Amino acid sequence: MADKDQPTTMERILQEITAVSRRIEGMDASKSSLTLETKSMRLDIASFQSRVTGLEHRMGTLETHVAKIQDRDQDLLYLRSKITDLEDRSRRDNSRLFRIPENEEGPDVQAFLSSVLPKLTSLTFDPPLEFQRAHRVGPKRPNGASRPHPIIACLLCHTQTRQLLQVAQNHGPFRIDKYEIHITADYAKDTNERRKAFLALRPSLHQLEMKYGLFDPARMWVTKNSVSKDFYNPRT
Protein backbone atom coordinates (compact mmCIF):
# COMPACT_ATOMS: atom_id res chain seq x y z
CA MET A 1 0.00 0.00 0.00
CA ALA A 2 1.45 3.38 -1.06
CA ASP A 3 2.55 5.93 1.54
CA LYS A 4 0.12 8.85 1.58
CA ASP A 5 3.01 11.30 2.29
CA GLN A 6 4.86 10.27 -0.88
CA PRO A 7 3.89 12.29 -3.99
CA THR A 8 2.08 10.37 -6.66
CA THR A 9 3.48 9.99 -10.13
CA MET A 10 1.18 12.70 -11.39
CA GLU A 11 2.30 15.08 -8.67
CA ARG A 12 5.96 14.42 -9.45
CA ILE A 13 5.33 15.15 -13.09
CA LEU A 14 3.58 18.40 -12.14
CA GLN A 15 6.47 19.35 -9.89
CA GLU A 16 8.98 18.71 -12.67
CA ILE A 17 6.84 20.68 -15.10
CA THR A 18 6.65 23.53 -12.61
CA ALA A 19 10.43 23.47 -12.08
CA VAL A 20 11.04 23.46 -15.81
CA SER A 21 8.59 26.31 -16.24
CA ARG A 22 10.40 28.31 -13.57
CA ARG A 23 13.73 27.63 -15.23
CA ILE A 24 12.28 28.79 -18.54
CA GLU A 25 10.94 31.92 -16.87
CA GLY A 26 14.38 32.49 -15.39
CA MET A 27 15.97 32.03 -18.80
CA ASP A 28 13.46 34.45 -20.29
CA ALA A 29 14.32 36.97 -17.58
CA SER A 30 18.03 36.44 -18.23
CA LYS A 31 17.41 36.80 -21.94
CA SER A 32 15.53 40.04 -21.36
CA SER A 33 18.33 41.30 -19.12
CA LEU A 34 20.90 40.26 -21.73
CA THR A 35 18.90 42.04 -24.40
CA LEU A 36 18.84 45.19 -22.29
CA GLU A 37 22.58 44.91 -21.66
CA THR A 38 23.15 44.41 -25.38
CA LYS A 39 21.11 47.49 -26.19
CA SER A 40 23.02 49.43 -23.54
CA MET A 41 26.32 48.23 -25.00
CA ARG A 42 25.18 49.25 -28.46
CA LEU A 43 24.31 52.69 -27.12
CA ASP A 44 27.72 52.88 -25.42
CA ILE A 45 29.46 51.83 -28.66
CA ALA A 46 27.49 54.41 -30.62
CA SER A 47 28.40 57.06 -28.07
CA PHE A 48 32.06 55.99 -28.19
CA GLN A 49 32.06 56.09 -31.99
CA SER A 50 30.51 59.55 -31.86
CA ARG A 51 33.23 60.68 -29.45
CA VAL A 52 35.92 59.17 -31.69
CA THR A 53 34.45 60.98 -34.68
CA GLY A 54 34.45 64.20 -32.67
CA LEU A 55 38.07 63.66 -31.62
CA GLU A 56 39.07 62.95 -35.23
CA HIS A 57 37.39 66.17 -36.30
CA ARG A 58 39.15 68.10 -33.54
CA MET A 59 42.45 66.45 -34.47
CA GLY A 60 41.96 67.48 -38.09
CA THR A 61 41.22 71.03 -36.98
CA LEU A 62 44.29 71.01 -34.73
CA GLU A 63 46.52 69.76 -37.57
CA THR A 64 45.19 72.56 -39.76
CA HIS A 65 46.03 75.11 -37.05
CA VAL A 66 49.51 73.61 -36.60
CA ALA A 67 50.12 73.80 -40.35
CA LYS A 68 49.06 77.46 -40.33
CA ILE A 69 51.35 78.18 -37.37
CA GLN A 70 54.26 76.47 -39.16
CA ASP A 71 53.57 78.56 -42.26
CA ARG A 72 53.53 81.68 -40.11
CA ASP A 73 56.81 80.63 -38.48
CA GLN A 74 58.37 80.21 -41.90
CA ASP A 75 57.05 83.63 -42.92
CA LEU A 76 58.45 85.16 -39.73
CA LEU A 77 61.84 83.53 -40.32
CA TYR A 78 61.83 84.84 -43.87
CA LEU A 79 60.89 88.35 -42.73
CA ARG A 80 63.50 88.22 -39.97
CA SER A 81 66.09 87.18 -42.52
CA LYS A 82 65.12 90.03 -44.84
CA ILE A 83 65.20 92.57 -41.99
CA THR A 84 68.64 91.36 -40.90
CA ASP A 85 69.88 91.53 -44.47
CA LEU A 86 68.58 95.09 -44.82
CA GLU A 87 70.19 96.03 -41.50
CA ASP A 88 73.52 94.52 -42.60
CA ARG A 89 73.32 96.47 -45.84
CA SER A 90 72.59 99.70 -43.97
CA ARG A 91 75.76 99.08 -41.91
CA ARG A 92 78.03 98.24 -44.84
CA ASP A 93 79.93 101.55 -44.53
CA ASN A 94 80.39 101.12 -40.76
CA SER A 95 83.51 100.00 -38.92
CA ARG A 96 83.74 99.08 -35.24
CA LEU A 97 86.89 99.99 -33.33
CA PHE A 98 87.39 98.13 -30.07
CA ARG A 99 89.60 98.84 -27.03
CA ILE A 100 90.31 102.49 -27.75
CA PRO A 101 90.56 103.94 -24.21
CA GLU A 102 87.57 105.90 -22.99
CA ASN A 103 87.79 109.64 -23.72
CA GLU A 104 90.92 109.11 -25.85
CA GLU A 105 89.01 110.55 -28.81
CA GLY A 106 88.33 113.86 -27.08
CA PRO A 107 85.39 116.07 -28.08
CA ASP A 108 85.70 115.43 -31.86
CA VAL A 109 85.56 111.73 -32.73
CA GLN A 110 85.85 112.31 -36.49
CA ALA A 111 88.96 114.44 -36.16
CA PHE A 112 90.51 111.84 -33.86
CA LEU A 113 89.84 108.99 -36.29
CA SER A 114 91.03 111.02 -39.29
CA SER A 115 94.33 111.43 -37.49
CA VAL A 116 94.77 108.00 -35.92
CA LEU A 117 93.50 105.57 -38.60
CA PRO A 118 96.23 106.32 -41.18
CA LYS A 119 98.84 105.88 -38.43
CA LEU A 120 97.33 102.63 -37.18
CA THR A 121 96.93 101.00 -40.58
CA SER A 122 99.85 102.64 -42.46
CA LEU A 123 97.35 103.40 -45.22
CA THR A 124 97.37 106.53 -47.33
CA PHE A 125 93.79 107.55 -47.93
CA ASP A 126 93.27 109.58 -51.08
CA PRO A 127 91.02 111.49 -50.83
CA PRO A 128 91.36 111.98 -47.06
CA LEU A 129 88.91 110.18 -44.83
CA GLU A 130 85.44 111.70 -44.63
CA PHE A 131 82.80 110.54 -42.22
CA GLN A 132 79.04 110.45 -42.38
CA ARG A 133 79.07 109.99 -38.61
CA ALA A 134 81.26 108.61 -35.83
CA HIS A 135 80.44 108.04 -32.18
CA ARG A 136 81.24 105.89 -29.19
CA VAL A 137 78.56 103.34 -28.33
CA GLY A 138 76.78 103.68 -25.00
CA PRO A 139 77.32 106.06 -22.08
CA LYS A 140 80.81 107.25 -21.32
CA ARG A 141 82.86 105.27 -18.87
CA PRO A 142 85.58 106.68 -16.63
CA ASN A 143 89.14 106.92 -17.88
CA GLY A 144 91.01 103.68 -17.46
CA ALA A 145 87.89 101.50 -17.72
CA SER A 146 88.91 97.89 -18.40
CA ARG A 147 86.34 97.45 -21.17
CA PRO A 148 85.80 100.73 -23.03
CA HIS A 149 82.80 100.99 -25.33
CA PRO A 150 83.57 100.51 -29.04
CA ILE A 151 83.56 103.39 -31.50
CA ILE A 152 81.44 103.12 -34.65
CA ALA A 153 82.69 105.03 -37.67
CA CYS A 154 80.67 105.40 -40.87
CA LEU A 155 82.88 106.51 -43.77
CA LEU A 156 81.49 108.48 -46.66
CA CYS A 157 83.41 106.40 -49.21
CA HIS A 158 82.55 102.68 -49.27
CA THR A 159 85.84 101.85 -51.01
CA GLN A 160 87.77 103.27 -48.08
CA THR A 161 85.68 101.21 -45.67
CA ARG A 162 86.53 98.03 -47.61
CA GLN A 163 90.19 99.04 -47.69
CA LEU A 164 90.26 99.66 -43.94
CA LEU A 165 88.53 96.35 -43.10
CA GLN A 166 90.76 94.39 -45.49
CA VAL A 167 93.92 95.72 -43.83
CA ALA A 168 92.42 95.07 -40.38
CA GLN A 169 91.63 91.48 -41.34
CA ASN A 170 95.07 90.77 -42.79
CA HIS A 171 97.32 92.78 -40.45
CA GLY A 172 95.35 93.60 -37.31
CA PRO A 173 95.16 94.08 -34.43
CA PHE A 174 96.84 97.47 -34.18
CA ARG A 175 98.39 99.31 -31.26
CA ILE A 176 98.10 102.74 -29.65
CA ASP A 177 100.77 102.95 -26.96
CA LYS A 178 100.08 99.89 -24.83
CA TYR A 179 96.55 99.37 -26.17
CA GLU A 180 95.68 96.73 -28.79
CA ILE A 181 93.02 98.03 -31.18
CA HIS A 182 90.71 95.73 -33.13
CA ILE A 183 88.79 96.92 -36.20
CA THR A 184 85.87 94.89 -37.52
CA ALA A 185 82.84 95.29 -39.75
CA ASP A 186 79.57 96.32 -38.14
CA TYR A 187 76.80 93.71 -38.38
CA ALA A 188 73.24 93.26 -37.19
CA LYS A 189 72.73 91.37 -33.91
CA ASP A 190 71.54 88.17 -35.63
CA THR A 191 74.54 88.16 -37.95
CA ASN A 192 76.95 88.69 -35.05
CA GLU A 193 75.43 85.74 -33.18
CA ARG A 194 75.82 83.49 -36.23
CA ARG A 195 79.44 84.58 -36.69
CA LYS A 196 80.18 83.90 -33.02
CA ALA A 197 78.73 80.40 -33.40
CA PHE A 198 81.21 79.74 -36.22
CA LEU A 199 84.15 81.28 -34.37
CA ALA A 200 83.47 78.96 -31.43
CA LEU A 201 84.40 76.06 -33.74
CA ARG A 202 87.96 77.31 -34.33
CA PRO A 203 89.67 75.25 -31.58
CA SER A 204 88.06 72.05 -32.87
CA LEU A 205 89.03 72.87 -36.46
CA HIS A 206 92.63 73.48 -35.38
CA GLN A 207 92.74 70.09 -33.66
CA LEU A 208 91.43 68.44 -36.82
CA GLU A 209 94.06 70.30 -38.86
CA MET A 210 91.35 71.82 -41.04
CA LYS A 211 91.71 75.16 -42.77
CA TYR A 212 88.79 77.54 -42.53
CA GLY A 213 87.67 81.02 -43.45
CA LEU A 214 84.80 83.17 -42.24
CA PHE A 215 83.31 85.31 -44.98
CA ASP A 216 80.93 88.21 -45.06
CA PRO A 217 78.46 88.26 -43.51
CA ALA A 218 78.17 84.80 -41.88
CA ARG A 219 79.49 82.01 -44.06
CA MET A 220 82.32 79.61 -43.31
CA TRP A 221 84.57 77.65 -45.68
CA VAL A 222 86.24 74.54 -44.29
CA THR A 223 88.96 72.70 -46.23
CA LYS A 224 90.41 69.24 -45.54
CA ASN A 225 92.72 67.42 -47.94
CA SER A 226 91.85 69.86 -50.74
CA VAL A 227 88.11 69.20 -50.27
CA SER A 228 86.13 72.31 -49.37
CA LYS A 229 82.72 72.65 -47.81
CA ASP A 230 80.62 75.78 -47.54
CA PHE A 231 78.58 76.20 -44.34
CA TYR A 232 75.86 78.74 -43.83
CA ASN A 233 74.58 79.22 -40.31
CA PRO A 234 70.79 79.76 -40.55
CA ARG A 235 68.77 81.66 -37.98
CA THR A 236 66.81 79.61 -35.56
Side-chain angles (χ1 to χ4, degrees), residues 163-176:
Q163 186 181 10
L164 176 63
L165 293 175
Q166 186 67 42
V167 171
Q169 181 179 358
N170 294 333
H171 303 290
F174 308 103
R175 301 193 70 85
I176 294 180

Side-chain angles (χ1 to χ4, degrees), residues 32-45:
S32 298
S33 175
L34 182 61
T35 301
L36 291 174
E37 290 179 0
T38 302
K39 290 181 179 179
S40 176
M41 289 177 64
R42 288 175 179 172
L43 290 173
D44 289 341
I45 291 172

Side-chain angles (χ1 to χ4, degrees), residues 216-235:
D216 189 31
R219 189 177 295 275
M220 176 175 272
W221 278 94
V222 177
T223 302
K224 178 72 172 180
N225 297 330
S226 301
V227 178
S228 296
K229 177 66 176 177
D230 180 17
F231 293 94
Y232 171 71
N233 187 11
R235 299 166 180 83

Side-chain angles (χ1 to χ4, degrees), residues 122-185:
S122 299
L123 289 174
T124 300
F125 294 101
D126 187 19
L129 293 177
E130 292 186 72
F131 297 86
Q132 295 186 49
R133 57 190 176 275
H135 65 278
R136 191 180 286 275
V137 177
K140 285 189 176 183
R141 288 178 172 169
N143 294 339
S146 58
R147 296 187 61 185
H149 289 301
I151 291 176
I152 294 182
C154 180
L155 291 174
L156 191 61
C157 177
H158 178 69
T159 303
Q160 290 179 336
T161 301
R162 293 293 94 193
Q163 186 181 10
L164 176 63
L165 293 175
Q166 186 67 42
V167 171
Q169 181 179 358
N170 294 333
H171 303 290
F174 308 103
R175 301 193 70 85
I176 294 180
D177 298 329
K178 62 179 181 179
Y179 302 106
E180 191 175 77
I181 309 303
H182 294 258
I183 302 175
T184 68

Side-chain angles (χ1 to χ4, degrees), residues 113-126:
L113 294 178
S114 296
S115 171
V116 77
L117 284 178
K119 296 176 183 178
L120 280 178
T121 60
S122 299
L123 289 174
T124 300
F125 294 101
D126 187 19

Side-chain angles (χ1 to χ4, degrees), residues 75-92:
D75 290 341
L76 288 174
L77 285 174
Y78 174 76
L79 291 174
R80 181 178 175 183
S81 175
K82 295 297 290 184
I83 290 171
T84 301
D85 180 64
L86 289 172
E87 187 175 352
D88 283 335
R89 290 177 184 275
S90 71
R91 296 169 180 245
R92 62 198 297 265

